[in-house]
Amino acid sequence: MGKITGFMEFRRLSEQSSPVVERLKNYQEFMPRLNDQEASIQGSRCMDCGIPFCTTGCPVNNIIPDWNDLIYRNQWKSALDVLHSTNNFPEFTGRICPAPCEAACTLNINDDAVGIKSIEHAIIDKGWEEGWVKPQPARTKTGKRVAIVGSGPAGLACAQQLARIGHDVVVFEKNDRIGGLLRYGIPDFKLEKSHIDRRIDQMRAEGVEFLVGQDIGLHVPPQKLQDEFDAVVLAGGAEQPRDLPVPGRNLDGVHFAMDFLPQQNRVVAGDVLSEQIKATGKHVVVIGGGDTGSDCVGTSNRQGAISVTQFEVMSRPPEQENKSMVWPYWPMKLRTSSSHEEGCQRDWAVATKELIGKNGKVEKLRAVRVEWKDGKMHEIAGSEFEIKADLVLLAMGFVSPVQKILDAFSIEKDGRGNARAATDGAGYYQTSVGKIFAAGDMRRGQSLVVWAIREGRQAARAVDEYLMGSSSLPL
């Protein structure tokens, strides 16, 4: 490394966000990248650790030490090339990935990890600022046609890789805009959609064709894809939400998070909605303690909620993990998001018993405190309580992809309702139906954007091998 003692000389520097009172006024991103000097100093903290566990902790296997060193030496364009060699969309991961690479950082054993995510953010943003990110169209065409179903991170990564190797790629998206859950599942204050739009422009210049409003099985017969394309990749998201089967579930004012969040994204994009689920002037209860629940918190506060409470059925995790026990793996510990900092009452080990309303409208939530013993949940006697709730948002995760698309192709499923397809051996990423492949949430279930990108890239290689007999795409 260029600065062997950098990790001893410099402290970790995080990106500085705008004050809460300012960022709650709009839906814009509020965390600018590190400037060049700050990023260079942070890159110097990367240790010459011998075995870069950060790389193995990263699902796309980013070559992190190399671009950290290049940033330290102010070789930004070279750093961008190294970053792009493993990750098609670092502007997405540099903003919304939880950074398992940092949990695996060797420095994280007894100090603050290298700020890998902030350095990645800085590299790609500077790349766009300087005009270094350009289309890479294929030099020759193969004459093979591939259909990609779904335009989230898995579908986009797969499409870009296949187009760059010379295949004709058509992406089918059921919504009115490209981007999948990146577009309609992630709030704009975490990921402004201009980042998606400029990648779409790049991919169009590389030869990818995008078709919106194309719901397979509704607007497009599955057999049409099988007849007209040499291979089909199913890359949709895990969009079947986990429900809450309690009395009062059908009251007005009780909604899935993914009915609530996309509406605000559409409004930010300029759409006019006849009816919008809004938190304005309401007491909001979010059920579910993950990222989707956090997004509901941030959106509710921006809409002007009176109060926001978030319940999690699992026990409160520790403030700090036991690193000697869990490193370099992803630890279970308390995580406070920027949305939580903006105003939220959080509570753990709480199970909802009933939703109570009047005239068909939810007014209260009745809950009970629970404890976990031997992996089972037990209610604590006498711990029931009620809380005012004008809007209840269900953000308890997703159980599977929407089943109708797998059924439309007669795809064999695993025990969780995902498309059954292996990731190694002969025919990897290939489903039970000949030329049809599956990647991302469609194959592995609900997961991170970085896992989706990895699977999209690997599925692209599998398709290329299937069509051409061999492939020069990275695995």
Side-chain angles (χ1 to χ4, degrees):
M1 303 305 296
K3 184 71 171 176
I4 296 177
T5 58
F7 70 96
M8 296 188 290
E9 297 177 31
F10 304 110
R11 306 306 307 162
R12 177 186 171 103
L13 176 65
S14 298
E15 296 153 324
Q16 295 301 303
S17 59
S18 303
V20 169
V21 67
E22 292 298 323
R23 67 196 199 215
L24 285 178
K25 295 177 181 178
N26 55 63
Y27 291 87
Q28 299 169 0
E29 290 180 13
F30 51 82
M31 198 170 292
R33 73 170 181 89
L34 300 177
N35 63 39
D36 291 10
Q37 182 178 10
E38 291 169 340
S40 178
I41 291 173
Q42 291 309 297
S44 76
R45 295 187 69 239
C46 188
M47 304 169 67
D48 188 8
C49 59
I51 299 176
F53 288 93
C54 57
T55 295
T56 56
C58 172
V60 294
N61 301 126
N62 276 331
I63 312 170
I64 295 163
D66 288 33
W67 43 257
N68 279 344
D69 183 52
L70 289 165
I71 290 304
Y72 167 67
R73 300 175 184 277
N74 289 310
Q75 297 178 22
W76 286 81
K77 193 172 186 304
S78 295
L80 179 66
D81 292 339
V82 174
L83 179 55
H84 266 146
S85 71
T86 56
N87 187 350
N88 294 68
F89 314 119
E91 63 269 43
F92 303 161
T93 53
R95 285 169 167 80
I96 61 175
C97 180
C101 54
E102 294 187 13
C105 174
T106 301
L107 188 56
N108 191 45
I109 296 174
N110 62 351
D111 201 344
D112 292 328
V114 174
I116 299 168
K117 181 178 173 180
S118 63
I119 297 171
E120 178 181 33
H121 181 184
I123 293 172
I124 183 58
D125 278 20
K126 186 176 177 67
W128 282 108
E129 292 163 9
E130 298 292 335
W132 296 332
V133 184
K134 298 182 182 298
Q136 300 176 37
R139 291 190 177 92
T140 58
K141 287 289 191 176
T142 64
K144 303 292 186 180
R145 300 186 75 221
V146 182
I148 310 288
V149 180
S151 68
L156 293 179
C158 187
Q160 187 167 63
Q161 293 293 95
L162 288 170
R164 287 177 174 179
I165 207 69
H167 302 304
D168 292 319
V169 180
V170 181
V171 176
F172 293 81
E173 170 57 50
K174 67 181 179 182
N175 287 309
D176 59 344
R177 295 181 177 92
I178 295 297
L181 291 176
L182 289 171
R183 174 77 64 180
Y184 288 128
I186 307 295
D188 288 74
F189 55 81
K190 289 175 63 175
L191 178 71
E192 291 182 4
K193 307 317 172 199
S194 58
H195 303 300
I196 303 173
D197 295 337
R198 61 187 177 187
R199 279 295 180 184
I200 301 308
D201 290 342
Q202 179 197 38
M203 292 174 65
R204 282 199 174 101
E206 292 171 344
V208 178
E209 181 181 356
F210 293 98
L211 300 177
V212 298
Q214 303 291 305
D215 195 336
I216 308 302
L218 180 61
H219 304 120
V220 182
Q223 192 61 45
K224 178 182 174 67
L225 298 187
Q226 292 176 279
D227 292 343
E228 297 183 3
F229 292 87
D230 299 294
V232 178
V233 181
L234 304 182
E239 297 180 82
Q240 188 66 47
R242 182 173 285 107
D243 209 342
L244 182 68
V246 299
R249 166 64 181 88
N250 294 324
L251 288 168
D252 186 23
V254 183
H255 303 276
F256 287 120
M258 290 309 296
D259 291 331
F260 171 68
L261 294 172
Q263 288 189 344
Q264 186 57 56
N265 285 8
R266 290 182 180 279
V267 170
V268 173
D271 292 354
V272 178
L273 306 184
S274 57
E275 293 184 11
Q276 183 183 358
I277 304 167
K278 295 198 72 172
T280 310
K282 296 178 181 177
H283 296 279
V284 179
V285 177
V286 179
I287 301 177
D291 288 341
T292 303
S294 171
D295 294 342
C296 289
V297 171
T299 301
S300 295
N301 279 321
R302 280 164 178 76
Q303 289 182 352
I306 296 174
S307 68
V308 183
T309 303
Q310 184 177 27
F311 289 144
E312 167 58 55
V313 72
M314 302 303 294
S315 302
R316 179 184 174 115
E319 297 277 347
Q320 181 63 53
E321 77 273 24
N322 185 337
K323 293 183 179 181
S324 63
M325 294 291 290
V326 301
W327 181 89
Y329 300 108
W330 183 248
M332 178 63 70
K333 67 176 182 179
L334 181 64
R335 303 178 193 279
T336 299
S337 72
S338 59
S339 291
H340 294 139
E341 295 169 352
E342 293 164 0
C344 175
Q345 180 65 43
R346 305 167 75 187
D347 206 347
W348 291 264
V350 173
T352 302
K353 295 284 287 183
E354 182 181 8
L355 300 168
I356 304 167
K358 184 185 295 183
N359 299 323
K361 180 75 172 67
V362 68
E363 291 187 339
K364 293 187 294 185
L365 180 150
R366 185 165 63 88
V368 63
R369 299 199 176 277
V370 300
E371 58 183 353
W372 292 84
K373 295 180 180 178
D374 300 323
K376 296 182 179 180
M377 184 180 74
H378 302 273
E379 296 183 4
I380 300 174
S383 67
E384 290 191 7
F385 65 96
E386 293 183 353
I387 181 173
K388 187 169 179 57
D390 306 309
L391 176 62
V392 178
L393 299 172
L394 308 181
M396 302 172 293
F398 303 86
V399 295
S400 70
V402 176
Q403 297 298 290
K404 68 175 184 178
I405 189 166
L406 298 180
D407 293 339
F409 286 99
S410 300
I411 301 294
E412 182 182 335
K413 305 170 192 174
D414 64 17
R416 297 181 300 152
N418 305 319
R420 186 182 297 280
T423 58
D424 55 12
Y428 61 112
Y429 287 97
Q430 197 166 5
T431 71
S432 58
V433 180
K435 63 170 72 172
I436 301 179
F437 295 73
D441 288 4
M442 190 71 73
R443 191 203 67 82
R444 65 179 290 119
Q446 177 189 2
S447 193
L448 305 175
V449 62
V450 68
W451 273 107
I453 294 172
R454 171 197 172 111
E455 294 228 341
R457 288 171 60 88
Q458 291 189 338
R461 180 183 170 101
V463 170
D464 192 35
E465 287 183 358
Y466 168 79
L467 296 175
M468 308 302 292
S470 62
S471 179
S472 60
L473 288 172
L475 183 59

